Amino acid sequence: MADRTRLKDLFDQAIEVAPHERAAWIAQVCGDDAELRAALERWLRADGAFEDFLQAPPAALTQIVAAALADGAPQRFGAWRVLRSLGAGGMGKVWQAERDDGEFEQRVAIKQVAYPTQALMQRFRQERRILARLDHPNIARLIDGAVDVLGVPYLVMEFVDGQAITAYANERGLDPHTRAKLFLPVLDAVQSAHSQLIVHRDIKPGNVLVDTHGTPKLLDFGIAKLLEDDGGAARTRTALRALTPDYASPEQIRGDAIGTPSDIYSLGVLLYELLVGARPYEIAGTSPAAIERAVCDTEPARPSLRMQALGGSSAAGARDLDAILLKALAKDPGHRYASCAEFSADLRRWLAGESVLARVPTTRERVQRYVARHKLGVALAASAVLALLVGLATIAALYRQSLAAQAEAIRQKNTAEREAAAAKAVRDFLDEDIIRAASPYLKTSAQDITVREAIDRGTAKIGVRFKDQPAIEGEIRAALGGVYMQLNQYAKAADQYAASGKLLEATLGEASAKTRYVRYASAVLLSQQYQAEKAHTLLQQLDALAQPGDENDAALATMRDDAWDMYWYRQHDWNKEEPFALRTIADFQRWQPDNLPGLAVHKANLVILYTSSGRLADGERVARGIVDELHAHGDDATVGYGLALSMLGRIEYFRRDYAAAEKTSLAAVALLSKIQGARSPHALNALYIVVRVRMDSGRYAETLDAAREIHASFVAAFGEHSVEASQNLVLLGACEYLAGQREQGIRDMQAGLAGTVAMNPSATDPLEKFFVAGNYIDYGAGKLEAAKALVAQLDADSLRNAQPDNDWPARLDALRGQIAWRDGDHAKARALLQPALEKMVAAHSPVFEIDRTRRALEQASAAK
Amino acid sequence: MQADVTALIAAANGGDATALQELFAHVYGELKLLARSQLARRVRPHEPTPTLNTTGLVHETYLKLVRHNESALHDRAHFFALAARAMRQIVIDHALGQATLKRGGAGRQAVDLDAVAALAGNEWSPDALLCIDYALGRFEKDEPQLAKLVELRVFAGLDLEQIAALQGVTVRTLQRTWRQAKAQLFLALDSA
């Protein structure tokens, strides 16, 4: 190897030599040393190749470096190599990692502490040692704790591959006794920790997992204590931020001193949920006041009243269970079980059928809200968020159920690799974040979008994942259909229901209630998408499959009547629709008696029916009834309420109470946009009324933004050539025309009309034809024939439909009169226009129509 | 971060490996924190994403960590070299997540000829940086000074004038050293 120093020296000199002289120079300097020469020549070549390298500071490089500096995702923690993200826990990000030095095959969960403070770091060092001593088979072990290169503390914990204890029990359909037995190790674990003076502080289903061997394991022991800030007042806020309020004890919520009784309380909530299937209180809203009210002041409902059959246990057994749970849930820490050991002992007594030591507190009157769980999907039910959660939970449960079945089959074949593959499949599915996306704190529809993406992603994979399990796939797709309905993605919902129907028919048979339920849902969507014939065929097929015992199935009945209701609605046959609308309401009340928001949605359909058939007073009565009822129950942040407001606004509009109509409709828009997103069809319907109010009042310029918004939204939701988009293009065109953009307006009205007619003749709303006809006549040249055609259609329309606007005959005459005037037949014009004008003025018809009629009349009279 | 960084630097210079590690950790941490706060400060709606002044960042880190602003030139040079090293670590760690190159056998990166060709044209990408890292790994033992120079320029973003001032040499001398460094780099990449 050539001497490096010499080489570098020569190199320095060489680059000073002129290029054309270089070869000679090299030969001279290197002489016989071939190695040196070769090396030198290599260096010189390299020098030439990299001339531009970093000549100018490249922005790209800076960007890359900046990105790297700003990025927070770690690759490793000490000897642990990060595998993937497990999401965000209460204290910060969580990662799955494995040992990098190949020493142990161990998967761990690494939890980073998100907000380290000095005090925290100190406590971290102290507590870590204590927590590491927790060694119990039902506690996920704390393996290590350290500080990473950035100075951020992290904890390395045993990774538990399992699911929340409640989910575990639900999927397997465990009976109460088995559930209670499953809970005993949990109590033992907490007892063990308590005996070492370690309090958990954050017991909830997410922290009590049951692994693949059926062993319960507690996670995150004592972590909450690690995070506790020192400030007193700050503690409450921190506590609420870090804890799940549903499981927090009254003293935790109030910020008082916390000890082992707080854990016992949380265990009580967990056991309650495990046995009863619902939490002791429903916390309405997330305001601290609401939480405090629920947890600190409300008494939990007696478990025995809420549980399904207690599996053969006696009345005494039921009372004893009540006693146990209510003792654990006592508001006063001093009234609870003094230790987990006592709690566990009583539970064991109950299991053995012996009498328990807890005493039942006196009962009091209480009002409870109870959200029913339903097995298959969600029809037009509760508020969007709740329904979404139920739907997603159903999917998750069904998915796991199938995988559990798969895993079981695999286990029986005793092949290690395939068991790992099944576990991997679960992890992969969870990776889709479907479940995690549906956090209990979904507040606004902005998060809806992420959930939508997550659902779509999961949907795409379901066919592959469930290739050999058609029954499960059928149920999952049905649940998905319900979820899409809630998101107003009707086409996707229709696809899912259709697929589900086929699968369920193949596996459960066409007569099965589940199959028919799903196919009735398909019928609803078919009608909704203007495919009346298909819907009708399907409905008749399904009706023919009616079974004895159907009358007990309220869910099926609801869907069936709803399907017929929708069908007749699309047919504009109000007489036939009404009985179904009423029955749907009755069915739904049987099915979900406490679900007021869900009921409101169905009642809203009735309101639509009444207003479309001209029974405004009835419509208003029902609409106001919905509004008042929901408001009284505190459900005024729900879709049902929004729809009711929307209906009311529409009715007020028809009554010509424009000020009220605008106000009510704007409120509806605001609420529905907030819940469902600005482009939800329901919000847009309300916005439509706003446009009409302004148009009819002559405020043309103010209509444009809203009309554009409506049109754009329908284009985005349904496609540019959809019926809905076309209808609203007509509306937009009319607004433009009236606001002075005549050419644009004509173009849009024309295009819109063409669109609706081409798509579906029965979908063209007569109201749109009025605008267009009037504008065409006003425009004059070239559009008159088209106007005449429209008027002829309107003639036929008005004979067919009873209309809420009782001024239609007059307005139709006004149009005819205007046409006559344009045609030069002034006598006919006057004969039509005069009486029409009087009626229109008396009926407060739209301002621009009155103006035109008056102008035409004046001109026709002057021409005499 | 209460450690006396000056003392750490001194200890590290004296060969104390633990001190060097600790120092490195501090610098690494500070760089990231500072970078994030710098970026966060400037982002307002309607403003284009800010560019990070990496040299300024290293300066700020130095000022933050070292108690006395007037340290010996010697110490400052060492600090900057360390900071550049830390930046390299940060960037490479991140690039490993971004890169399209497959991992080589012992964790080393295979060299992507396209990336190298692009580099010659002063075009940069996470893959290119991985190549640079790889190349540095090949010759930094033999030519530590040259490798440090590359680190300072590429990862800490210093220009030749700044480095010359730091190291107490003339720009002209440094330009020659730089050309050597470039040649080394290319050779290391070329013979991969």
Side-chain angles (χ1 to χ4, degrees):
Chain A
M1 213 15 105
D3 175 17
R4 293 193 82 87
T5 322
R6 180 154 155 74
L7 186 54
K8 284 196 277 190
D9 238 357
L10 285 176
F11 175 75
D12 285 346
Q13 293 174 45
I15 54 182
E16 299 295 332
V17 174
H20 59 270
E21 289 167 11
R22 214 172 270 166
W25 182 88
I26 292 174
Q28 186 194 359
V29 160
C30 296
D32 288 328
D33 195 340
E35 241 186 279
L36 178 63
R37 184 183 175 140
L40 187 56
E41 278 172 351
R42 272 205 311 273
W43 276 58
L44 286 167
R45 242 198 338 270
D47 175 66
F50 254 17
E51 230 180 291
D52 286 337
F53 185 68
L54 277 186
Q55 276 296 87
L61 174 58
T62 319
Q63 269 174 25
I64 295 173
V65 174
L69 284 168
D71 182 43
Q75 300 294 321
R76 54 188 313 115
F77 294 90
W80 306 95
R81 183 159 50 88
V82 174
L83 292 173
R84 65 188 178 106
S85 165
L86 292 174
M91 62 188 247
K93 295 210 181 105
V94 187
W95 312 91
Q96 193 193 43
E98 69 180 6
R99 194 97 189 180
D100 198 28
D101 49 19
E103 279 200 20
F104 307 108
E105 279 280 333
Q106 187 179 25
R107 290 280 161 91
V108 296
I110 297 190
K111 305 201 173 204
Q112 283 181 299
V113 177
Y115 308 108
T117 62
Q118 277 293 61
L120 183 73
M121 304 271 288
Q122 216 174 354
R123 189 174 301 111
F124 189 80
R125 283 187 277 269
Q126 291 167 357
E127 296 288 343
R128 204 159 40 87
R129 262 174 282 124
I130 300 173
L131 292 175
R133 279 199 262 117
L134 270 180
D135 190 10
H136 189 280
N138 297 106
I139 297 181
R141 209 163 64 82
L142 176 67
I143 296 169
D144 195 8
V147 170
D148 69 12
V149 275
L150 302 181
V152 175
Y154 65 91
L155 296 168
V156 183
M157 340 233 346
E158 176 190 343
F159 176 72
V160 178
D161 187 6
Q163 57 182 140
I165 189 172
T166 39
Y168 180 89
N170 287 339
E171 281 172 20
R172 284 157 187 73
L174 301 181
D175 66 66
H177 275 246
T178 317
R179 288 169 190 241
K181 281 208 199 99
L182 189 62
F183 199 70
L184 290 174
V186 177
L187 288 170
D188 289 342
V190 180
Q191 175 62 42
S192 161
H194 284 181
S195 63
Q196 298 189 52
L197 301 180
I198 297 175
V199 181
H200 189 291
R201 296 187 176 208
D202 195 15
I203 293 177
K204 57 184 177 181
N207 279 336
V208 182
L209 301 189
V210 181
D211 69 13
T212 48
H213 304 295
T215 312
K217 285 209 180 251
L218 270 74
L219 307 183
D220 284 1
F221 237 104
I223 307 297
K225 180 160 193 254
L226 273 183
L227 302 181
E228 187 193 47
D229 248 352
D230 273 331
R235 207 189 314 162
T236 314
R237 284 195 297 280
T238 320
L240 279 179
R241 185 165 30 98
L243 297 173
T244 323
D246 303 84
Y247 299 89
S249 62
E251 63 269 19
Q252 274 173 310
I253 288 185
R254 283 192 301 260
D256 294 342
I258 294 167
T260 52
S262 315
D263 274 353
I264 292 185
Y265 177 92
S266 304
L267 285 166
V269 179
L270 184 55
L271 184 59
Y272 188 109
E273 188 178 345
L274 191 60
L275 296 176
V276 173
R279 297 207 199 109
Y281 335 94
E282 294 301 326
I283 300 178
T286 52
S287 70
I291 295 169
E292 193 169 322
R293 200 168 46 223
V295 176
C296 301
D297 301 334
T298 323
E299 287 301 315
R302 286 168 154 281
S304 53
L305 294 179
R306 300 179 75 180
M307 275 168 76
Q308 312 285 326
L310 272 178
S313 73
S314 62
R319 273 203 310 277
D320 277 350
L321 193 59
D322 282 356
I324 293 176
L325 283 169
L326 293 176
K327 184 171 168 99
L329 292 172
K331 305 289 180 207
D332 184 341
H335 290 164
R336 297 174 202 151
Y337 284 107
S339 68
C340 286
E342 279 185 30
F343 193 166
S344 172
D346 248 5
L347 196 58
R348 286 195 166 89
R349 282 186 200 101
W350 178 76
L351 282 168
E354 298 163 6
S355 55
V356 302
L357 299 183
R359 273 208 238 116
V360 185
T362 52
T363 46
R364 278 172 246 175
E365 285 289 298
R366 50 193 88 107
V367 177
Q368 288 290 330
R369 278 184 56 210
Y370 176 71
V371 177
R373 304 279 167 95
H374 24 275
K375 287 192 293 183
L376 253 194
V378 281
L380 318 159
S383 79
V385 170
L386 266 177
L388 205 58
L389 287 179
V390 174
L392 291 171
T394 311
I395 296 170
L398 289 168
Y399 184 81
R400 279 188 177 282
Q401 186 185 324
S402 99
L403 276 163
Q406 281 180 15
E408 194 49 54
I410 289 167
R411 217 174 281 127
Q412 284 165 8
K413 287 189 186 166
N414 203 23
T415 315
E417 300 99 67
R418 275 188 273 166
E419 192 168 332
K424 182 178 186 301
V426 173
R427 279 204 301 274
D428 286 347
F429 189 73
L430 288 179
D431 252 342
E432 310 285 359
D433 279 349
I434 285 186
I435 297 156
R436 233 168 281 117
S439 137
Y441 302 108
L442 265 181
K443 286 193 196 86
T444 66
S445 62
Q447 274 149 301
D448 240 8
I449 296 168
T450 326
V451 175
R452 280 181 218 197
E453 286 169 3
I455 291 170
D456 283 344
R457 262 184 275 139
T459 308
K461 302 214 171 145
I462 285 194
V464 172
R465 293 207 202 277
F466 294 100
K467 219 161 28 105
D468 302 318
Q469 301 195 275
I472 302 285
E473 186 183 345
E475 295 210 29
I476 290 186
R477 289 197 184 275
L480 267 176
V483 170
Y484 278 129
M485 290 281 279
Q486 284 306 307
L487 295 174
N488 297 314
Q489 293 186 289
Y490 300 120
K492 287 183 185 170
D495 288 340
Q496 292 308 317
Y497 277 131
S500 170
K502 285 208 190 85
L503 289 162
L504 290 177
E505 191 180 338
T507 54
L508 300 176
E510 59 176 7
S512 155
K514 272 187 191 171
T515 312
R516 285 183 291 144
Y517 176 96
V518 165
R519 295 185 74 203
Y520 275 119
S522 287
V524 171
L525 286 163
L526 280 172
S527 297
Q528 212 229 21
Q529 295 178 316
Y530 301 101
Q531 297 183 53
E533 270 191 38
K534 280 192 190 160
H536 196 241
T537 317
L538 179 57
L539 283 168
Q540 284 178 322
Q541 268 179 19
L542 289 170
D543 279 358
L545 291 168
Q547 308 283 318
D550 270 354
E551 55 275 7
N552 295 329
D553 193 337
L556 181 63
T558 309
M559 197 54 99
R560 182 186 63 229
D561 290 327
D562 197 26
W564 276 110
D565 171 38
M566 185 55 144
Y567 173 75
W568 289 121
Y569 172 70
R570 280 290 187 236
Q571 297 297 103
H572 299 283
D573 194 333
W574 320 125
N575 293 322
K576 293 228 176 71
E577 193 197 338
E578 191 176 355
F580 287 110
L582 292 166
R583 273 162 55 177
T584 310
I585 291 172
D587 293 333
F588 189 82
Q589 276 171 319
R590 261 194 307 144
W591 181 22
Q592 300 184 36
D594 298 290
N595 186 347
L596 276 177
L599 186 62
V601 171
H602 290 291
K603 282 191 180 171
N605 288 338
L606 186 61
V607 173
I608 296 176
L609 163 63
Y610 284 150
T611 53
S612 304
S613 56
R615 295 160 60 178
L616 285 190
D618 286 330
E620 188 162 355
R621 175 179 46 85
V622 178
R624 284 205 195 279
I626 300 172
V627 169
D628 292 338
E629 216 175 9
L630 289 177
H631 191 66
H633 276 262
D635 283 325
D636 45 13
T638 58
V639 168
Y641 192 79
L643 284 178
L645 279 182
S646 175
M647 295 301 111
L648 257 181
R650 178 178 280 247
I651 293 170
E652 283 161 349
Y653 165 75
F654 288 136
R655 275 202 289 108
R656 301 283 182 264
D657 187 351
Y658 290 145
E662 189 172 4
K663 183 161 169 239
T664 311
S665 299
L666 284 171
V669 172
L671 176 60
L672 288 166
S673 306
K674 189 165 150 218
I675 300 173
Q676 297 185 316
R679 297 198 154 176
S680 92
H682 299 307
L684 293 172
N685 277 335
L687 192 58
Y688 174 78
I689 297 297
V690 174
V691 172
R692 292 297 304 274
V693 163
R694 291 177 183 169
M695 199 201 289
D696 290 2
S697 320
R699 295 151 56 194
Y700 306 130
E702 289 175 56
T703 61
L704 288 176
D705 281 339
R708 279 195 198 110
E709 169 68 29
I710 294 176
H711 177 245
S713 300
F714 277 111
V715 166
F718 295 100
E720 198 173 332
H721 302 290
S722 63
V723 175
E724 292 82 355
S726 299
Q727 280 174 337
N728 290 290
L729 187 56
V730 174
L731 177 71
L732 176 59
C735 292
E736 284 164 341
Y737 189 91
L738 291 167
Q741 300 170 17
R742 293 158 62 101
E743 298 299 328
Q744 182 65 34
I746 291 286
R747 269 199 297 274
D748 284 342
M749 281 187 286
Q750 204 172 320
L753 260 189
T756 54
V757 166
M759 287 303 118
N760 198 309
S762 69
T764 322
D765 192 336
L767 287 167
E768 261 76 56
K769 289 182 197 159
F770 262 112
F771 297 147
V772 180
N775 287 336
Y776 279 179
I777 298 168
D778 181 77
Y779 188 73
K783 284 310 193 185
L784 210 50
E785 289 309 311
K788 285 181 190 169
L790 282 171
V791 168
Q793 287 178 31
L794 279 168
D795 242 337
D797 284 343
S798 62
L799 283 177
R800 209 154 53 90
N801 307 313
Q803 294 303 333
D805 298 13
N806 52 15
D807 59 350
W808 277 33
R811 286 160 73 187
L812 208 45
D813 276 345
L815 285 178
R816 286 199 206 96
Q818 289 173 48
I819 291 175
W821 163 62
R822 281 274 190 217
D823 279 342
D825 187 346
H826 299 298
K828 182 175 175 193
R830 284 193 303 271
L832 285 167
L833 292 169
Q834 180 76 48
L837 181 61
E838 283 164 20
K839 288 192 197 126
M840 283 163 74
V841 168
H844 301 288
S845 298
V847 164
F848 63 92
E849 290 189 35
I850 292 178
D851 283 345
R852 282 182 186 152
T853 311
R854 185 175 288 129
R855 238 193 348 255
L857 181 59
E858 281 164 13
Q859 301 221 351
S861 305
K864 207 177 337 184
Chain B
M1 308 263 180
Q2 301 298 322
D4 183 350
V5 175
T6 328
L8 274 178
I9 296 179
N13 287 342
D16 185 344
T18 320
L20 183 63
Q21 262 192 352
E22 235 189 288
L23 185 60
F24 189 78
H26 281 307
V27 172
Y28 190 105
E30 274 310 309
L31 280 171
K32 278 221 157 194
L33 286 172
L34 273 173
R36 263 183 249 157
S37 64
Q38 266 196 21
L39 287 172
R41 225 186 292 145
R42 288 180 203 163
V43 172
R44 276 186 190 76
H46 311 302
E47 253 183 36
T49 338
T51 47
L52 193 69
N53 179 349
T54 45
T55 316
L57 189 67
V58 180
H59 277 293
E60 256 188 69
T61 309
Y62 180 73
L63 291 176
K64 186 157 180 197
L65 287 182
V66 179
R67 258 203 262 135
H68 308 294
N69 289 353
E70 278 117 51
S71 289
L73 195 64
H74 190 58
D75 284 340
R76 276 188 79 226
H78 266 102
F79 179 91
F80 271 76
L82 196 69
R85 194 80 222 275
M87 304 269 281
R88 174 180 162 193
Q89 188 77 40
I90 293 171
V91 170
I92 296 308
D93 272 350
H94 186 251
L96 282 172
Q98 305 262 299
T100 55
L101 296 175
K102 287 205 204 106
R103 282 176 197 251
R108 287 293 193 167
Q109 303 303 306
V111 169
D112 179 358
L113 293 177
D114 289 331
V116 174
L119 268 181
N122 212 20
E123 281 173 34
W124 292 84
S125 63
D127 281 359
L129 285 167
L130 289 173
C131 296
I132 300 254
D133 178 61
Y134 171 75
L136 281 170
R138 294 195 71 197
F139 71 82
E140 60 192 347
K141 279 214 179 63
D142 292 327
E143 300 281 357
Q145 192 202 11
L146 297 182
K148 277 209 184 87
L149 188 53
V150 174
E151 279 180 351
L152 283 168
R153 286 215 70 191
V154 171
F155 296 103
L158 276 74
D159 62 32
L160 285 177
E161 277 83 12
Q162 290 168 319
I163 301 175
L166 203 58
Q167 294 183 343
V169 298
T170 63
V171 175
R172 183 133 177 79
T173 313
L174 201 63
Q175 271 167 345
R176 259 185 289 146
T177 319
W178 173 243
R179 279 180 91 156
Q180 293 174 11
K182 272 203 296 181
Q184 280 298 290
L185 205 56
F186 184 78
L187 281 173
L189 288 172
D190 194 36
S191 55

